[in-house]
Every structure is written in structure tokens, then in C-alpha cells.
Amino acid sequence: MPVPAANLYPDFNTIRLSHVCLNVKDLAASKTFYTEILGLQITDEDDTRVYLRAMEERGHHCIILQASDQPGTVEVMGFKTFDEDDLDRAKAYFEARGRPTEWVERPYQGKTLLTSDNMGIPLEFYHKMDRLEPIHQKYALYRGVKPLRIDHFNVFSSDVDASVAFYSDFGFRVTEYTEDEESKKLWAAWMHRKGGVHDMAFTNGTGPRMHHVAFWVPTPLNIIDLLDLMATSGFVKNIERGPGRHGISNAFFLYALDPDGHRIEIYCSDYQTVDPDLEPIKWDLKDPQRQTLWGAPAPESWFKHGTTFSGVETKDSQMKATPIVAP
Amino acid sequence: MPVPAANLYPDFNTIRLSHVCLNVKDLAASKTFYTEILGLQITDEDDTRVYLRAMEERGHHCIILQASDQPGTVEVMGFKTFDEDDLDRAKAYFEARGRPTEWVERPYQGKTLLTSDNMGIPLEFYHKMDRLEPIHQKYALYRGVKPLRIDHFNVFSSDVDASVAFYSDFGFRVTEYTEDEESKKLWAAWMHRKGGVHDMAFTNGTGPRMHHVAFWVPTPLNIIDLLDLMATSGFVKNIERGPGRHGISNAFFLYALDPDGHRIEIYCSDYQTVDPDLEPIKWDLKDPQRQTLWGAPAPESWFKHGTTFSGVETKDSQMKATPIVAP
Amino acid sequence: MPVPAANLYPDFNTIRLSHVCLNVKDLAASKTFYTEILGLQITDEDDTRVYLRAMEERGHHCIILQASDQPGTVEVMGFKTFDEDDLDRAKAYFEARGRPTEWVERPYQGKTLLTSDNMGIPLEFYHKMDRLEPIHQKYALYRGVKPLRIDHFNVFSSDVDASVAFYSDFGFRVTEYTEDEESKKLWAAWMHRKGGVHDMAFTNGTGPRMHHVAFWVPTPLNIIDLLDLMATSGFVKNIERGPGRHGISNAFFLYALDPDGHRIEIYCSDYQTVDPDLEPIKWDLKDPQRQTLWGAPAPESWFKHGTTFSGVETKDSQMKATPIVAP
Amino acid sequence: MPVPAANLYPDFNTIRLSHVCLNVKDLAASKTFYTEILGLQITDEDDTRVYLRAMEERGHHCIILQASDQPGTVEVMGFKTFDEDDLDRAKAYFEARGRPTEWVERPYQGKTLLTSDNMGIPLEFYHKMDRLEPIHQKYALYRGVKPLRIDHFNVFSSDVDASVAFYSDFGFRVTEYTEDEESKKLWAAWMHRKGGVHDMAFTNGTGPRMHHVAFWVPTPLNIIDLLDLMATSGFVKNIERGPGRHGISNAFFLYALDPDGHRIEIYCSDYQTVDPDLEPIKWDLKDPQRQTLWGAPAPESWFKHGTTFSGVETKDSQMKATPIVAP
């Protein structure tokens, strides 16, 4: 039985994924991609950073684009806690597991704990972030794919079993997973805190590297609009995979690469997972419909390409490469 | 300031609304409406009851249709708790507030607490319900409006301030509300546990009565399909209001009446509310766009008609009737 | 039998409706409405006129906004003929019926015949109009409701039988009609040349007046987007009726009023009518579903308000007012 | 200049494509596919044939499934003429071009001319077909992909220039085409009569063979519903290509194979082409976006597989195979 039971009463309460800071080469080019094409809203910007939020978000930022001499790397992934005291409990928790911890200053955020997970992924936890006026009913502002909110992270892990065990301990719950029937090892797993299919997913591969960060949109038609827009605005080569429906999560998806190669998923149609007794759905690694319900294989790049975390070394997985089989 | 702060650390943990039992006159007629038109799936039935679930639900039932000599009344509204111990804590909690409590036997549910709220609405809390196989990817089963899950209840209350205070105490949080600017009293409020706009809403009027129970569907096009189907299958008179978009909650909605006059809302497009510091959105009672963002007034029946709770007396509200104003 | 057989071999070949010239008070305000809200593209403009086309059109204009001291009137309705010789044949045809004819100069159009129909509606026929580059795949240009093409005109006529007879003679074919069962007179009729439900429709009332001009859009979701945009951009009062589905034509519709009170229909979902032996569909005047399949009644303004043709006197209908009956 | 001017005044008037007769191995299996999956309606059936129509069609059939010892072949493609006299004129026309002609008896059709085109494709022309009651507003009948009407044929031709010249002579007009920039020969062409992008298209390859027959559906979401249904009802292997948007025609498409390998396109979003002076749009054979606007390459089978016409020999094309280039 490869999926550990989640800790239903974790030491601290993580509400949801919150934001990611991406290192980019050309801030202007990235800004165009994230605002004109994806349709995110700028909440602040200066010479080195652009802060963005999606249409239904009231927190200050879900993406920070940061000009960097290490473009194409990820700086940090952010999570929001239920209250301020959770931060101290989180600090004690990670320290007890031998992880480095540090209080850091972050613009627009209150007290913020910087730490890292068992694989070295830089994580930051905060409770307070500047709150902004609602804009979800300012329909004249909607552009691009009309992104409503950041939805989840997906990362390559060189040992998915270890990653899942680590996150289960502080309350992440598995909703779906892929198992290698022979080795009984996990190939991939989707874990949540906020009541959807995932806040964080792990997939087997050289890691840790970010596979993608995903945004939720209202309907599949918004994704089709995005494809039409990208295809006729100079971004056709940034379209990597889709549209399609994943067997896993039942998501209608599109994957695109930003100008630095950070992969973005646009996504709708997941389901509610708030029941603590929700049974994880198991998929066989050999079932091609787990990847695409409709059968079309993913391109090789989708299995191989990811963006590293700034300053974090990667390690190859001991599991052999995924069998890419058409149904 | 009419909205009380929610109790973020309630005595017991309610996960979400779960189900409702509706008393009906003609079980066969109701079954046709809920399966052929709405598209719910039968999970069990006998001579007196039909149990139904929506497409992404794994719990045994979200609607129980019960043949009754009091058709057009609501038997009970059900809620799921986080764990089994929450039930004992809930019992103590309601008893301390002078509410009747009782352990009851319910088919397909584990230990179940029957109690009632401050207005007398019969509530039942349980943790365990029979779990069924996933059917959300069995697309050949989808029919009617393709309902994915039960979403919320909405009830008339003769004193919305009192209702909101009562539910706030055990952890329901207000997301949006309408205030009468003169009296500073609440006209209506939307409260949640599961991270959407609401599990339970209250609106001013003779109460307690159920205003509606709502189902979540994937896109506005499913609602348009339902309208076409109802209009050409003998159910055109059951269409009461819509389609439209509420200002409040931003929901794309349709209201229909079942054969006994129970009002059903079909609904999509709400937003994520898991942040404990999410600011409630305030609407002025005089703003007609709170009702319909696009301006069309609701029919008078929508403000007046509701279905009573079996055996529960109603009381008129002291607030004067809503000003129905076109924008 | 109220519907005359269409002349399948008319004296001249009208391909389709083409454009309309609307007189407006404030050219800037109208331009904002037609470009920012409806999403039409400007093809030329000067101090007195703005020329617009929809996204899949290659002819220079489908709407001309003309600053005028008679705002809220319609200048002329335009039609395209199959070839240049059709224009001479049309001239002879209208003269033989006692209608005034005149060759007029129109910017961006070739030889243009100005005449009028039996009720006095100013009509112009042309074959050549400046052709522009395709823009239907320039998705970055799409805005507002994403209008694809002008679809039809609808006018009030004081004698619908006479109007239908007049247009049938030069080849317009009836697709659907409403008959008053008692008097056996036509209440309304939909007539086409181009193979859809209509290029021109007539409805009983004080006439001639334009009831509306309609634009075709891809899906109902574009109409929902338009409603959201209008409702939150200062145009909520311009929304008159909808969204809904007509029984007649099966169209998914929205009606809005421009700043001068010209009524615009946004519309999708009609059907192909190229078969010359297509049987017209008859509706009973007493059937409320002919107006709205879903049953919601139209507002009174929809039956009463129209915009006159510049300089053309109107006449009341002898038929009594429509019974507005909810289903 | 590879596209010949269409004959705007052809000897006889073809209104539109009408129907196709497909030879199949297992009538029951084919019937399941065309009714349960595609959603066509049976209008008659016996031991050897099933007649089907789409939801907005009033003619008796658009598809005839015929049990045959030559399954996977196409029996004949049918076209409707404007009037009965066109049939005699068509007979004279094809005879003058050395084509065989014959009056044949067809159930549910009036006088029917059987002939063949320059490549040997069996064509039949008729004017009268049994007319059925409208069902487009009987929404309870809609199933599968909710097909509204047959839209077009697409065939492999060993000499596209010759095929286009042949059809241009009797009035088919080119809307879009692909040219080999080096040889200045046509690679593919889309030709219409009814005012859409095509009734008949030709693509270079061993021919004549049917590439596909296409059905029009309301929106892209119906195609997504079909994919979900096929993928979870045992037809995942019948999904060949898509969903996607063609550069050419701008169609949102899906290609599926029926149980005998006949290729079916499901399609929406073309544009109106009734203007006789509509300029054909030229695509370069080397532009990969002509195939898929979004860049995904078509599978090899899509370029190679077709179904032959019963008893008609095929011939290889002299043009080299298409360069399958990802953008």
C-alpha cells in the first residue's frame, strides 16, 4: 500500500498554496506574456520585480517575476497558514526534521518563514499578505485566458514516496496517485490542503525541479481562446501540450512555456475533496488514459523538461523512465 | 457593523453541507424530475424513498425524496463533520444552547445527531456515510444538467442577524451580505464551511422555510441545455427565474421548482473562500445589481415562496418587504 | 394560407443583407458602444461617420454610424446583389412597382441603387464594396461580444401580409411565421436570401420602424460575457431583454439598446435554410413559447419601441396589440 | 495562378451536399456508433440499411449505413439540386463530359441521377427527398455530440488541379487552398455551393478515396463532451486527431474513425461565404499552421488513410508526400 495515511491533525495548519517567485531573463518580455497572453493583473512593479494576481484573488500576489542572472530558475514556492501562530509551530516542525529555517522579509507579506522540504525545495510560509479590493466583477479588466486563481504546483521528485511521506506528515492528503505495479513504488501523487485535487503534486524524475504552476479558469472555452490568441500572436511555439483531459484529476488542460521555459498549466474541471475520508484514486502506470483520457500521448518534453530551484542541486530518480504508450 | 466575526476555532468541525430530505407527494413524478431532467443518479430506492447522488459525489446521497402525507415540506438538512468525535462535541454544543438533541438511525449513515438551529430548522450531523465508486468519469451516465455536487442551502429567516450569529458560533464564515442601510440590520447573508461562497445562506422573510437547495454544474452551457430540455419536455412552468448572474456570489444561476414546489438552484461560477481573513463583501439592499448583475428583476414568487420544515412553525419577519427595484 | 409562395426565380438576385446606416447624436459615445462593448472593428472614420465591420466580414462596412440632427433614426438598409447587372434589373423591377429609384454615390461602394419598399423603408442595393484583408484569425483583435457578422434586420410593419408579399416577389423566402388564428392574418414573418433563418423579418406594429439589427456570435458564452461587461461598465440600463432562446428561429438571443435607442440583437444558433423546398414553420400567436422557448415574457418596451426611418412617416397597424401571455 | 475562376452561371444548380452511403461490416455495431456516440437519429432501418438524419435536418437521410461484403468502402455521395429540371440539365452536362449517367431508384428520394466525377467518384443528384417533421427543438432527443447537420465531404485526389477544375465548371467555388510554392500546383482545395467554407474538399493523395465526411455541431464544448464519452465508452481507439483548430477554414475539429474505418469529422466555427466575389485564401504548403493553427502535428494516419469508393480504382498522386513539419 504505497499511499501513507495523511496526518489529519498536523502540527500547523497550511491553508493553501499561495504564490511562486520565478527568475526571468527579460522582465518586459515576461510581463507581456503574463499580462497580455495569460491575463494576470499587475499589482506592483519596479525594475527587478513584477507582482501579479489572478481575477478572483484578494491577496497581493500569486506570481512574482524577478529579473535574475539565473533566469529559468524558481526562487521559492509560497504557502498561506491559517493563523499567525502556525508560523512558529511550522518553524519548530521543520527544525525538528533537520530543515533550515529563517524569518525573512517579503514585501506585502507579514511574518514569513523560509525553509525547505526534504528534497530541498525552498518553501515559504506566511499568514498575512496585503489584501486588495475585489476585481472579479470588473469584467472590463478580463483578458487572455481570464485566470481566476493560482491552483497548484507540480514538481519532479527523485523519490516520490519520500516526498509524499514528507508532505503527508504536515497534513497534505493524497487524492490520486500512479503506482508502478511491479515495484509498488509511487510514480506520481496529487496532494491537497484547500479542498481541490491538489495544491502540490509530485512526479517521478530528476528532481527537485518545478514541472509546472497551474491557474484555474472558468471553462474549456477560455483555454481554446488562449490557444487561438497564442497561435496568432507570436506564441505558437510556447504551446507545449493540449488541449486535453487528464484521466488523473479529470482536468481539462493546456500546458504552455513562458519565455524562460517555466511551464504553466491552464486548467479547469477538478472536483471537491474536503471529505477527510475521501478515498485516493489509484492509477496504473501502464494505463495511458491516466495521462490523457482521450488517448493522445504527451510530447517527450513534457516528461523531461522542468525548471530547477535556484541554488538547489538535483538528483536522478532510481526508477526507470515512464513508458510512453499510446492507448 | 452587522457581520459578527466567525468563530475560527469552533467546538466541533463541520466540513460541509451534505444532503437534504424532501417530502414529496408522488415519488414517481419526483424521481422523473430529479433523474431525467436534473440528471441525478439513483443510489437506492424503495416504496417510500429514493436516494440520489450527483456525478462527482462518493457519499451515498445528497437528496432523499420521501413519499409523505406532508408533501412540499423539508424533513431535515444534513451536514458532515470532520471526525466521529465531532458528533459528541456537537451534541454538547447544541444542548448547551438549549436545542433538542437525539441520536437517530439513518440508512447508509453512521452515528447521526439530530438537532435544530435557533429558528427550529431540523439539522442532522454525521461523519460516516456509505462511500460509493467514483462515477465522474463515466460520461455515458451524464444526463440533464450534468450536476456535479450539492452546493448549498438557502433559507428564509425571520431574523437574519440572529441566524448569522448562531451559525458563526460554530464556525460558519460570512462571505457576502446585504445590509439595510437605515436599520443597520442584515437582510441576507451567505456563510460557508467548505471554501466556496456558501454552505448555508439566510434571507429575510417568513421563516424558517427553505428557499432553495443548489447544485453545482460545470458551465453556463449546461444550464442553457437544461432550459431547452425543460421547455420542451413538459416542464416549462417549472422554470422560475433565470438564467442570470447574481451580483452577490457572482453565480450564474437558474431557479426551477420541483413537482412539489421545492426550489432548486442550478449554479456555477463561485469563488474560493478558504482564507480565514477573507473580507466579507457588503451589498446595499437598494442596489438592484446585487440580485441580478445584469439588471433583470426577480419574479415576485422568488421573494415570497418557500417550503416549510416538517412540523416547524414559521414566524413573520419584522423587516419590511424587500424593495424590488429594477436598475 | 397566409404565407405566399416565394418567387424562386426572381428578376434580380439579392445575395444577403449587407449593412445599415444609423443616425446618432454623439458619434464618440456611439463609437465606444460599438467598438468597446460590441467589439466591431473600425474600418474608416471622419467627423461625421464611423464605418465598422465584424470579425469575419471582408466587405468594408456592416454598420455606418452617422452624426445627425435626427439621431435615433435609420438612414438606409443595404443589400448586396449577385452581380452588377442585377442592379439594372432591380431598378426596373422597383420602378415597375411604382417605387422611387436613384443611383447614389456611397463611399467604398460601387454603383448603388437607392429605392424603397412598399412601406417606404429606404433600401440600397450594390454589388461591389471595397474588400479588406481577412481578420477572423487575428485573435488579438477580438473584443466585447466577438461579433462575427451582421445577420439580419427586423422591422415593424403596419401590414405584415403586404410586406411579406412584396419581398416574396423578389425572392425572399419565409422560414417561420406567426399567424393570428382568428383573422388568419400574419402577425410576424422571418424571410431569408442567404440560407439562414432570416435576412429580413417583419413584426406587426406601427411601421415602418426598425425593430433591430442583429449580429451573429460564436456561442452563448460570448453573450454571457457581453452581459457581464455591460453590467459592470456603465451599460446595465442598455440591456433590454435576455438572455433567452426564441421559440421562433431557435436563436439564443440578447437585446440591447445603443446610446440612441437603436436596438441591437446578439444572436447565435440558427439553422441552415438553403433548401428551396424548406417548409416554413408556423407558430400560433397565442403560443408564448414562440417568443421565449423558456417562457419568460418580453418586456413591454420590446413590443413597442423601434427607431423610425429618416423622413419616412409611420402608420398604425389595424391588428390589435399582441397578447403578452406568460406560459 | 492555380485556382480557376468558378463558373458563376453553371448549367445546373447544385444546392448543397446531401448524404453519403457507407458500406459497413456489422450493421448493429455501426448503428451503435452513429446513434449512441455521434447522436444521429434513425429515420428508417431494415436488415441491410439504416437511414439517419441530424437534428436540424428535415430531409430523410444524411447517412445511409449499408451492410456489405465490401465493408469500409463508400457507395455514393449525394447532392441536392435547386429544382427538378436541374436533373435533366445535369444529365446532359455530365454526358457531354463523357461521364456515365443513369436514372436510379432510391428509397425516399425522387428522380435521382447517378453519375461520377472526372476521377470516378460516384455522385448522385436528386431534387426531392421525403421531408420529415422538425426535431431541432425536441431537446430530449439530443445525444452524443448533438450533430446538427451534415456539412461537407473531403476526398483524396491524385490530381487536385483537375478535380478543382471539374467542380468549378458546374459552380463550386474555392474558399481556401494550399499551393506548392515550387510546382505551383494545388495541394488541397475547399469548395462550396451552400455558403459555408465547403461542400467538397480535395487533398493530394492516392485517390479517389474519401478522406472524411463532416458534421456540424453547435460549440466546441459538444466536441469535448464527445471526446469524454468516446474515451470512457470503449471508443478511445477511434479518436484519431484533435481537438484542434485548423488554420484553413478556422474550424474547431475532431476526427474519429467509425467501426469500418470511415473517417468522421466533427466540426464547428466556419464562416459565411455567400459573396460571389469572396477572395479565396491561399496557404503555403510549408506553413504548418494551415493544418493546425495551434501547431500540433497531425498523426501520419491522417495523411495516409482513406476509404475507397466501391468498385473504383485508385491512382497514386505524382506530387511528393506532404512535409509534416511542426511549427
Side-chain angles (χ1 to χ4, degrees), chain C residues 9 16 83 137 247 275 279, chain D residues 9 16 58 83 137 247 275:
Chain C
Y9 307 95
R16 60 173 175 92
D83 66 19
Q137 293 184 323
D275 290 3
E279 305 82 353
Chain D
Y9 307 95
R16 59 174 176 91
R58 300 198 213 154
D83 65 21
Q137 293 184 324
D275 290 0

Side-chain angles (χ1 to χ4, degrees), chain C residues 9 16 56 58 80 82-83 131 137 139 149 245 247 250 271-272 275-279 281, chain D residues 9 16 56 58 80 82-83 131 137 139 149 245 247 250 271-272 275-279 281 283:
Chain C
Y9 307 95
R16 60 173 175 92
E56 77 173 42
R58 301 199 213 153
K80 181 178 175 84
F82 189 79
D83 66 19
R131 307 289 294 179
Q137 293 184 323
Y139 283 101
R149 58 178 180 270
R245 187 182 299 286
N250 205 38
Y271 56 86
Q272 183 178 292
D275 290 3
D277 51 355
L278 186 80
E279 305 82 353
I281 296 176
Chain D
Y9 307 95
R16 59 174 176 91
E56 76 171 44
R58 300 198 213 154
K80 182 179 175 81
F82 188 79
D83 65 21
R131 306 289 295 180
Q137 293 184 324
Y139 283 101
R149 58 177 181 269
R245 188 182 299 287
N250 205 37
Y271 56 87
Q272 183 179 292
D275 290 0
D277 51 354
L278 187 81
E279 306 82 354
I281 297 176
W283 295 81

Side-chain angles (χ1 to χ4, degrees), chain A residues 9 16 56 58 80 82-83 131 137 139 149 247 250 271-272 275-279 281 283, chain B residues 9 16 56 58 80 82-83 131 137 139 149 194 245 247 250 271-272 275-279 281:
Chain A
Y9 308 94
R16 60 174 177 90
E56 76 171 42
R58 301 199 212 153
K80 182 179 175 82
F82 188 77
D83 66 20
R131 307 288 295 178
Q137 292 184 323
Y139 284 100
R149 59 178 179 268
N250 205 37
Y271 56 87
Q272 183 179 293
D275 289 2
D277 51 354
L278 186 82
E279 305 81 355
I281 297 175
W283 295 81
Chain B
Y9 307 95
R16 59 173 176 92
E56 77 172 42
R58 301 198 214 155
K80 183 181 174 82
F82 189 78
D83 64 22
R131 308 288 298 179
Q137 292 184 323
Y139 284 101
R149 59 177 179 269
K194 70 178 175 299
R245 187 182 299 285
N250 205 37
Y271 55 87
Q272 183 179 294
D275 290 3
D277 51 355
L278 187 80
E279 305 81 355
I281 296 176

Side-chain angles (χ1 to χ4, degrees), chain A residues 56-93:
Chain A
E56 76 171 42
E57 293 175 335
R58 301 199 212 153
H60 183 271
H61 48 265
C62 64
I63 292 270
I64 306 166
L65 304 173
Q66 178 170 274
S68 166
D69 56 4
Q70 292 191 310
T73 64
V74 178
E75 189 65 31
V76 70
M77 287 172 163
F79 293 82
K80 182 179 175 82
T81 61
F82 188 77
D83 66 20
E84 202 72 8
D85 291 346
D86 283 314
L87 299 174
D88 292 320
R89 289 190 289 261
K91 186 165 190 289
Y93 179 89

